[in-house]
Amino acid sequence: MNSDSLYYSLELVAGSGYTLNIEQRAALQTSLVILRKNYKFQRVLYWGKILGLKEDYFIAQGRGEDEMNDKKNLYSFNCMDWFLLPPATDSMIDEVSRAAKGRFTGDPSYVYEHLEIRRQGEGDEAEEEEVVTKVNEESRLAVTVHQIDEEVSVVPRGAFIKSPHGLVQVNRSFGGLSHSEAGKLDNFLHFSKPKNLKKKSILEMGDFESIY
Amino acid sequence: LEIDSQSLNSSQLKVQSAASLKAFMLKNSTKSNLNLYDHLTQLLIKVMDEQLQNVVDVIEDISHDVKRGLVEDKQSTLRDLPQTTAAELLAEQQRLLFSRPEDADQEDELVETPLPNVSEIGFYLEQAGVGLGREEMQRIFLALKQLVESQALLRCRLWGKILGTESSYIVAEAEYREGEEEEEQITDEAAEEEERETEAQDSEENEMDPLPQSTYKPAPVVPKEAIGTGANKCVYYVCKEPGLPWVKLPPVSPVQITVARHIRKFFTGRLDTPVNSYPPFPGNEANYLRAQIARISAGTQVSPQGFFQAGEEEGDEEDEAPRDSYEVNPDFEGIPVAEMAESLSTWVHHVQHILQQGRCTWVNLAVKPGEDSNEEGEAEEKEEEPDEPEPEVGPPLLTPLSQDAEMFNTPPWSSKMSSTLTSQHAAAVLRSNLWPGAYAYACGKKFENIYVGWGLKYAGEGYSPPVPPPPQKEYPSGPEITEALDPSLEEEQALKEALEEQQAAQEEMEDTDEEEEDDD
C-alpha cells in the first residue's frame, strides 16, 4: 500500500488480523519518506510483514518510473533502518527452493544447508557425490517476496496504463470498479510480467486489443 | 347603411382573419405535438402569476422554462428499481447494534457485567500488532453485548476470528450456566435412542433374507465429555459478521478431535457445509469448527504464572487426578513485562491438554461401558490389572510454557515486547508458532488471548494425508481351500495301479468267499 495513504489503508485490511501498532505506523510514515528521497523512488509502497521466530521482517517496495520493471524491495526490523534486498535471480530461486525449510528465523545471515547425494554411473560403479547447497536467509527473503509478488499481486482492470514510451504507469483517470464489476475475478489482473504471451496467435492477440 | 355594411364587412373580415390566425396557432407542431396558442397562454399565465420585473428581457427564458416544464414530466418513464446490495443489507442488520436500549439507566447500576472490555483489549492487541481494526472491534463489542443480553450468559469473551474462503467466523466463548447441561444431555440421549431404534428397524427388515454379516467391529467409541468439563468446558457462539445472529456450536466429541488432528481443511464460512475428508470426519463444518476451537484453546490459551491458582477443593487428589479447575489468585501482583517477554516459564497453560484419546481426562475403554459411565473413579482403581491399557496422562493444568514440546525444529512460542522504544510502558506479547494466528499479551495484571487465523496447525514440511488401512483378508486360509500341487503322470499311474491291485485283491477275496459259500 502506498506510503501516502498508509494511515487509512492499513485499517481496510485489518480484518485479517495483521495490523501494525502505533509505534510502527508512525515510524513508517517517517522512514518511508526518507527512503523515497534517498533512493529516488517515484513512490514507496509498504509491502507487508514476514514473521520470523525471533524478529519480523517489514518489507517496503520502491517503484521507479516504470511500475512493472523498476521495483526494489527493502527490509527492516524496526521500520526505520532499511536494507536493500538483492534481486531474485533464477539460480537463487532454484537454490532457495532446495535448501530453505521451516520458518524464517529473523536473522538475515542465518545459513540454510541442504545436503543432496547424487549418484553418477550405474550399478557397482556408481559414485556418490555430496552436493551441499547453502543459502542465507536474506536471499530466501528476496526470493519469497519476489514469488509472492509474482503470484498473488493483483490489480483491478484499468488501474495501470502503458504509456506510448512503453512504461507501465498508474492510470490517473481510473475511478475504481463498479460494484458488479468488482465481484468478478475477470476484472482483476496479475501485476507481473507476461508469461507465454508469444504463444498466442495474432488472431487471439486481436481480441486482447479490443478488451483494453 | 353602406358605412354600416362596410364596417360590418370589415369587422367580419377581421373576425375571420383572427379566427384563421387562431386556427393557425392552434395547429400542432409535427415535431413536439405542441401548439403556439397553448404555449402563449401558459406563458402569459406564468407572467401574470410571477409578475417579474423587466419581463420583456427574460421572456425568452420564461418561454424556454414553460416548454421544459412540459417535457420534464415525460423524461423518465422507467420506474427506478432499487437494488439492495449486500452492504446495504448488512448495514440494516448492524443498525440494531447501535440502538440504545430504553432501560439503559438500570444497567449502569449493575456492578459486575459479563461483558469484557473489548475496547481495552483492542487497544492492547493493537500494541501487540494483532487485532481486527478499531471499527470492527467496536462492532464486535456491541455484538457481544447483544449476545450477553439475549442469552443471559455468566461470562463471555472474544475468542477470536477464524478466516474462511467465503466468509469468516467471529467466535465468542462463554461459560455454561447451571441447569443448561442437563437439557443438552437429554437431547443427546434422545438422539442416540433414535439412532438405536432405526438400527433395530433395519435389522428386522433384513431378517427375511439375511445378508452375510460383516465381521468388522468398529473401535469402541470414546464417550463424550460431559458438558462443563474438559474440552466441553465452554460453549462457543459464532457469527459471520457482527450484527448477524449468533449461532451456538454443538459440543465436541473425542472422535471429532482425533479426526480433526489428521485432516487439513480450510473453512468455507458456511456452518452446514459437509466436511469431505479422509479419514471421514463425523459431522459438518460446525463440528469441525468446534473441534479446531477446542484444539486451539487447549494449545494456546495461556496466562501469566500466578494469575490463576489450583482450586482448593482438589488439594488432596493432586497426585492422582489431573487438576481441572482453577480460580483467580487474589494475591497476584503481576510480573514485570521484561521478564514475561524473556522467559516462557512465566506463562502457564490454563486450559487442559487434550490427550491422544480426544479427551482431557482419560477414560478406560477396556472397562464395560455400563460400569464406565457410572463412575470414572472405578475405572481408575482397576488400572492395576495386567491387561489394562496404560492410561494416558497429559501435563497438568497450569504447566509453564517452557515445558512445551518442540515440533519440526521450531520453538513453539515467540515472545517479544510490544514496543522497543518505550519499553517501560510496553506489553509482553506471545505468539504461537504451532498455531499461526494465536497471540497472547500481558501487561501488569491484564492479559488476554486471541486467535485470528485460518484454523490450521503448522504442518512443518508439508502435510501428507494418512494412508488407508491395509486391505482385509478375504477368508481365513485352511486345509480345505489350500491349493495343492497337481500329481504328475507317474504318480497318477502308480495310484491307478495301486487301486487296480486293491480291486483285484478284493475281487479275489470275494471269489474265494463265494467259493467257500458254494462249498458249503
Side-chain angles (χ1 to χ4, degrees):
Chain A
M1 45 190 83
N2 199 337
S3 59
D4 297 336
S5 58
L6 199 62
Y7 64 94
Y8 71 83
S9 39
L10 273 175
E11 233 1 62
L12 299 176
V13 297
S16 65
Y18 295 108
T19 56
L20 297 178
N21 68 23
I22 287 291
E23 190 181 304
Q24 291 157 349
R25 281 190 206 197
L28 282 178
Q29 298 279 11
T30 310
S31 67
L32 291 184
V33 173
I34 297 170
L35 194 70
R36 181 164 67 183
K37 193 194 93 186
N38 287 351
Y39 283 87
K40 296 191 171 60
F41 290 134
Q42 290 280 317
R43 58 181 193 139
V44 180
L45 307 177
Y46 171 65
W47 186 90
K49 189 158 81 165
I50 287 186
L51 305 180
L53 293 177
K54 292 191 204 84
E55 298 260 16
D56 299 339
Y57 296 99
F58 296 90
I59 314 286
Q61 190 171 67
R63 297 260 174 100
E65 192 85 0
D66 188 326
E67 292 275 338
M68 181 85 81
N69 295 314
D70 298 353
K71 282 190 209 169
K72 272 179 187 151
N73 296 320
L74 301 101
Y75 70 93
S76 164
F77 294 110
N78 54 6
C79 298
M80 280 314 281
D81 308 317
W82 295 90
F83 310 99
L84 196 64
L85 278 174
T89 56
D90 284 347
S91 63
M92 220 157 97
I93 293 171
D94 187 47
E95 281 176 3
V96 168
S97 67
R98 247 183 290 150
K101 271 182 191 136
R103 292 286 171 93
F104 279 88
T105 59
D107 174 14
S109 56
Y110 180 83
V111 176
Y112 296 90
E113 281 187 24
H114 178 69
L115 191 86
E116 196 179 347
I117 297 170
R118 282 186 198 161
R119 289 195 178 169
Q120 286 183 333
E122 283 179 9
D124 300 332
E125 295 164 23
E127 283 178 28
E128 290 193 351
E129 188 191 1
E130 289 184 352
V131 182
V132 181
T133 320
K134 279 187 182 176
V135 171
N136 67 357
E137 189 157 288
E138 192 178 38
S139 40
R140 184 187 175 190
L141 187 68
V143 168
T144 310
V145 170
H146 171 77
Q147 284 182 329
I148 290 177
D149 251 351
E150 196 85 336
E151 286 174 20
V152 292
S153 160
V154 289
V155 291
R157 184 181 289 262
F160 287 87
I161 198 164
K162 198 162 190 175
S163 74
H165 304 293
L167 302 175
V168 177
Q169 288 174 325
V170 176
N171 184 0
R172 290 190 175 277
S173 57
F174 176 63
L177 298 175
S178 76
H179 190 271
S180 55
E181 281 172 337
K184 288 177 192 152
L185 277 183
D186 293 351
N187 288 318
F188 294 91
L189 313 169
H190 282 284
F191 192 66
S192 55
K193 283 173 204 164
K195 289 168 191 164
N196 307 332
L197 192 68
K198 283 176 187 166
K199 285 182 185 168
K200 301 262 196 251
S201 70
I202 295 173
L203 257 177
E204 286 170 308
M205 301 264 271
D207 287 343
F208 282 154
E209 302 285 314
S210 65
I211 291 172
Y212 289 108
Chain B
L1 273 171
E2 278 182 5
I3 299 164
D4 281 353
S5 65
Q6 267 184 356
S7 62
L8 197 76
N9 256 349
S10 66
S11 67
Q12 268 181 343
L13 276 173
K14 274 181 189 168
V15 168
Q16 269 185 355
S17 64
S20 68
L21 182 64
K22 188 182 175 185
F24 170 72
M25 291 206 311
L26 274 169
K27 206 171 161 188
N28 277 7
S29 152
T30 52
K31 276 186 186 170
S32 60
N33 205 25
L34 299 175
N35 62 55
L36 183 61
Y37 189 84
D38 288 346
H39 178 67
L40 284 178
T41 320
Q42 280 172 355
L43 185 66
L44 289 176
I45 289 171
K46 191 161 173 134
V47 169
M48 281 196 296
D49 284 349
E50 298 184 2
Q51 299 275 338
L52 295 169
Q53 281 188 330
N54 304 335
V55 179
V56 69
D57 296 335
V58 292
I59 189 77
E60 293 91 351
D61 291 336
I62 300 175
S63 160
H64 231 111
D65 271 359
V66 170
K67 276 190 181 172
R68 201 179 294 152
L70 288 171
V71 178
E72 252 172 27
D73 293 344
K74 294 174 188 167
Q75 211 152 34
S76 101
T77 48
L78 289 174
R79 203 162 52 142
D80 195 25
L81 258 182
Q83 266 192 336
T84 46
T85 59
E88 283 165 4
L89 286 174
L90 185 64
E92 274 299 316
Q93 293 264 10
Q94 288 185 335
R95 195 176 63 88
L96 296 175
L97 292 177
F98 296 91
S99 59
R100 192 164 178 270
E102 285 167 9
D103 54 347
D105 298 336
Q106 293 177 358
E107 281 187 28
D108 293 340
E109 289 167 16
L110 286 175
V111 185
E112 203 171 326
T113 165
L115 198 61
N117 189 349
V118 179
S119 306
E120 192 189 353
I121 294 168
F123 168 75
Y124 280 113
L125 287 176
E126 196 183 312
Q127 300 300 306
V130 256
L132 304 168
R134 288 182 189 174
E135 274 178 38
E136 190 168 350
M137 271 297 194
Q138 189 61 35
R139 287 213 171 87
I140 291 172
F141 192 12
L142 295 169
L144 281 179
K145 181 173 157 236
Q146 198 184 39
L147 175 72
V148 167
E149 279 166 10
S150 63
Q151 304 281 340
L153 300 171
L154 279 180
R155 199 177 300 164
C156 174
R157 62 178 273 269
L158 172 64
W159 184 88
K161 181 175 181 179
I162 287 194
L163 309 175
T165 51
E166 285 171 34
S167 64
S168 329
Y169 297 112
I170 289 159
V171 185
E173 185 184 79
E175 268 181 29
Y176 270 106
R177 274 171 301 150
E178 301 280 326
E180 193 177 10
E181 31 192 293
E182 287 162 21
E183 288 171 31
E184 299 251 342
Q185 275 172 346
I186 289 166
T187 51
D188 273 6
E189 279 167 21
E192 275 173 29
E193 270 173 30
E194 270 175 35
E195 274 175 32
R196 271 178 222 152
E197 275 172 26
T198 51
E199 276 172 28
Q201 279 176 357
D202 287 347
S203 58
E204 277 169 28
E205 279 168 23
N206 289 339
E207 252 176 84
M208 296 302 285
D209 184 15
L211 288 169
Q213 292 292 314
S214 167
T215 54
Y216 172 73
K217 278 181 190 159
V221 178
V222 184
K224 210 184 254 189
E225 278 178 304
I227 287 160
T229 61
N232 283 326
K233 187 169 182 184
C234 293
V235 60
Y236 293 89
Y237 293 87
V238 295
C239 69
K240 284 185 185 175
E241 287 280 345
L244 298 185
W246 290 92
V247 182
K248 188 177 174 181
L249 290 181
V252 69
S253 72
V255 64
Q256 281 164 355
I257 289 181
T258 43
V259 173
R261 277 177 171 150
H262 290 123
I263 62 176
R264 281 179 80 73
K265 210 168 169 59
F266 275 135
F267 290 95
T268 62
R270 282 173 284 115
L271 283 175
D272 52 353
T273 319
V275 179
N276 297 324
S277 65
Y278 181 81
F281 185 81
N284 54 16
E285 190 167 297
N287 300 100
Y288 178 48
L289 179 63
R290 181 66 186 81
Q292 291 297 76
I293 288 175
R295 292 177 64 204
I296 293 170
S297 299
T300 66
Q301 300 269 300
V302 292
S303 57
Q305 188 179 32
F307 187 89
F308 292 116
Q309 60 185 13
E312 280 174 13
E313 47 187 338
E314 287 188 51
D316 311 330
E317 300 171 36
E318 259 181 43
D319 298 331
E320 292 173 18
R323 288 175 285 180
D324 62 349
S325 73
Y326 54 79
E327 56 194 24
V328 177
N329 182 359
D331 305 328
F332 180 64
E333 286 298 324
I335 301 173
V337 169
E339 202 180 314
M340 296 224 59
E342 244 169 50
S343 92
L344 287 177
S345 53
T346 52
W347 295 85
V348 293
H349 286 279
H350 65 257
V351 172
Q352 273 185 296
H353 176 79
I354 300 179
L355 302 172
Q356 209 61 40
Q357 203 179 30
R359 286 172 57 104
C360 292
T361 48
W362 189 76
V363 64
N364 194 345
L365 291 176
V367 179
K368 282 174 190 169
E371 297 169 26
D372 183 75
S373 60
N374 286 339
E375 265 189 42
E376 280 185 29
E378 213 172 304
E380 280 172 20
E381 282 168 25
K382 289 184 183 174
E383 274 165 25
E384 287 165 17
E385 286 174 30
D387 53 343
E388 292 287 308
E390 194 71 14
E392 291 174 32
V393 181
L397 205 59
L398 306 181
T399 307
L401 297 194
S402 46
Q403 292 178 21
D404 278 14
E406 191 171 284
M407 291 175 84
F408 320 109
N409 295 323
T410 308
W413 297 91
S414 291
S415 59
K416 61 170 184 178
M417 306 271 273
S418 66
S419 165
T420 47
L421 299 176
T422 53
S423 50
Q424 301 92 326
H425 301 291
V429 181
L430 206 58
R431 183 173 73 213
S432 170
N433 292 325
L434 286 185
W435 287 101
Y439 287 83
Y441 74 78
C443 181
K445 288 187 185 181
K446 297 193 172 81
F447 78 95
E448 191 63 46
N449 295 281
I450 195 166
Y451 181 85
V452 185
W454 293 95
L456 294 180
K457 196 172 183 170
Y458 177 53
E461 291 173 16
Y463 161 77
S464 56
V467 289
Q472 279 192 317
K473 280 179 188 164
E474 284 183 14
Y475 44 81
S477 81
E480 66 270 21
I481 49 168
T482 316
E483 200 172 347
L485 278 177
D486 270 353
S488 63
L489 188 64
E490 290 83 30
E491 282 172 341
E492 256 181 56
Q493 278 175 345
L495 187 73
K496 214 173 175 180
E497 278 169 20
L499 280 176
E500 276 173 9
E501 273 176 30
Q502 217 177 344
Q503 233 171 359
Q506 269 182 2
E507 273 172 23
E508 270 177 35
M509 287 281 283
E510 278 170 22
D511 286 346
T512 49
D513 286 352
E514 277 171 26
E515 279 168 22
E516 279 168 22
E517 277 168 25
D518 289 339
D519 291 342
D520 295 334

